[in-house]
Amino acid sequence: MSTTRYLTGITTTGTPHLGNFVGSIRPSVAASLTSGVQSFYFLADYHALIKCEDPVRIQRSTLEIAASWLAAGLNPEHVTFYRQSDIPEIPELTWLLTCVTGKGLLNRAHAYKASMDKNTAAGREQDDGVTAGLFMYPVLMAADILMFKAHKVPVGRDQVQHIEMARDMGASFNHLYGEHFVLPEAAIDEHVATLPGLDGRKMSKSYDNTIPLFSSREQLKKLIGSILTDSRAPGEPKETEGSALFQIYQAFATADETDALRKAYADGIAWGDAKQVLFERVDQVIAPMRAHYEELMAHPARIETTLLAGAERARALATPFIRELRAAVGLRSLAQAAAPQKAAKAAKAALPSFKQYREADGKFYFKLVDAEGRLLLQSTGFEAPKEAGQAIAQLQKNPQALHDLAPRLVPVEGVAPADVAAALQALADAAAAA
């Protein structure tokens, strides 16, 4: 059975809350037990430096997040669980990728554009307060992913762009220096629950409306008691649609328990009683984990030992790989004869190339450009990246596929069919000679 690598990073800037547990921690721990899956989980403390300048907060968050994942059942013997800053190969790879990444690609990153738009709306200079760290964030994220040759990266839809950018960077490096990187795919689970917070909006530390995952029993009861409800009196039927209480309960209860509460809503359960039902159900799930969490938090040295063991496992993969990449770009011993390799790289760089990307319509496209970057051929949109990749593979192997794929291709004005055919033939000849 082939193994699929999944990789997930958790930024160390906050305290895990119930929404994190339902949307990320619980499904990730379950996925780590799946046959044929190799899982990588890391604490993204380098990423935390982009948005947090409080060293104490970053250290505390690292401890809390590590303890939360371990208490929730993540088995460090079955996964690679490590701290990002313990892997020095990651910042080195970030620089290698920086050198093959166009500034125009980074200009389009959602987080950077959002910062510029916010500044524009406030009448400030577009780059006011924008650090190089924020601008380069997608490159560091690409290094995290590409370093361990991850096949799948579980993300929400708002993070898909970063996976596509990682693919672009990996493809650019592969084109220049040979096939070294696996190009990752975003794994989007449409059924991941998003919990409402105390005020009914999405539970998020940005809104200050969270329920910390490992609140004490007393604090948990107090926070659940403060969840916003409407003014319907006891005995008056209540709607489950839009009810934060009901949505949180549904995420922790069985189907039968959820149906029972739905009926209680229709029968006019008092809000105080509904909150008590929710509290007891959530605490039933959290209490056993809370005891483990508190034990881990009382002995941080145990967590440190676990993370260092994970780093050792991760570096067993990263160290030889970065050595391979250093050699690929020419960072080699001077005792090596470099002339043959230089000639080979120059020949490869002179070839036409395919570029695959995703547009705002959600569809996947590709284009063929010559060695100077001139556009030769453009595709129509494909529903899935795999379909676009298969079309590229056909064209690379057999220039005659131009005829078969004609309905999915858009001729470029000023480019003769013979130019496209010659470019495809050059790719086919190079592949045959490799």
Side-chain angles (χ1 to χ4, degrees), residues 78-146:
H78 293 167
V79 303
T80 304
F81 183 49
Y82 58 97
R83 181 171 39 206
Q84 185 186 33
S85 60
D86 286 334
I87 316 299
E89 292 82 3
I90 288 174
E92 182 170 359
L93 176 54
T94 300
W95 179 249
L96 298 184
L97 294 175
T98 298
C99 294
V100 302
T101 301
K103 180 176 180 292
L105 180 69
L106 299 179
N107 285 341
R108 296 190 290 273
H110 295 326
Y112 175 57
K113 289 176 67 176
S115 293
M116 288 198 303
D117 292 344
K118 185 177 180 180
N119 283 334
T120 299
R124 298 188 293 263
E125 182 187 349
Q126 281 193 330
D127 283 334
D128 183 52
V130 176
T131 65
L134 174 63
F135 186 69
M136 297 296 296
Y137 169 83
V139 188
L140 177 57
M141 187 169 182
D144 291 323
I145 298 166
L146 296 173

Side-chain angles (χ1 to χ4, degrees), residues 29 49 70 88 97 101 109 129 183 197 243 288 342 364 379 387 392 416:
V29 170
L49 299 179
L70 294 171
L97 294 175
T101 301
L183 303 187
S243 168
K342 284 183 178 180
F364 296 85
S379 78
E387 295 174 9
I392 291 173

Side-chain angles (χ1 to χ4, degrees), residues 32-97:
S32 72
L33 304 175
T34 305
S35 177
V37 169
Q38 185 178 12
S39 298
F40 292 74
Y41 298 95
F42 68 95
L43 304 173
D45 50 352
Y46 278 143
H47 287 292
L49 299 179
I50 297 169
K51 59 180 78 171
C52 181
E53 297 175 349
D54 181 354
V56 174
R57 173 68 265 177
I58 288 177
Q59 183 185 36
R60 179 69 181 181
S61 178
T62 301
L63 177 63
E64 291 173 341
I65 292 173
S68 296
W69 281 76
L70 294 171
L74 190 70
N75 187 339
E77 297 300 320
H78 293 167
V79 303
T80 304
F81 183 49
Y82 58 97
R83 181 171 39 206
Q84 185 186 33
S85 60
D86 286 334
I87 316 299
E89 292 82 3
I90 288 174
E92 182 170 359
L93 176 54
T94 300
W95 179 249
L96 298 184
L97 294 175

Side-chain angles (χ1 to χ4, degrees), residues 191-259:
H191 304 292
V192 168
T194 300
L195 290 194
L198 300 176
D199 58 2
R201 293 182 294 176
K202 176 184 176 182
M203 190 176 292
S204 169
K205 60 181 180 290
S206 300
Y207 298 143
D208 194 26
N209 66 353
T210 65
I211 300 176
L213 176 57
F214 292 116
S215 304
S216 67
R217 180 176 167 87
E218 294 73 22
Q219 184 188 16
L220 178 64
K221 184 171 185 177
K222 181 178 179 180
L223 287 169
I224 287 177
S226 69
I227 293 175
L228 190 66
T229 56
D230 61 31
S231 58
R232 298 183 201 193
E236 189 177 353
K238 297 168 177 61
E239 296 290 336
T240 57
E241 185 70 27
S243 168
L245 277 174
F246 188 83
Q247 291 177 52
I248 297 173
Y249 185 82
Q250 191 172 25
F252 285 86
T254 66
D256 288 344
E257 289 169 336
T258 301
D259 287 341

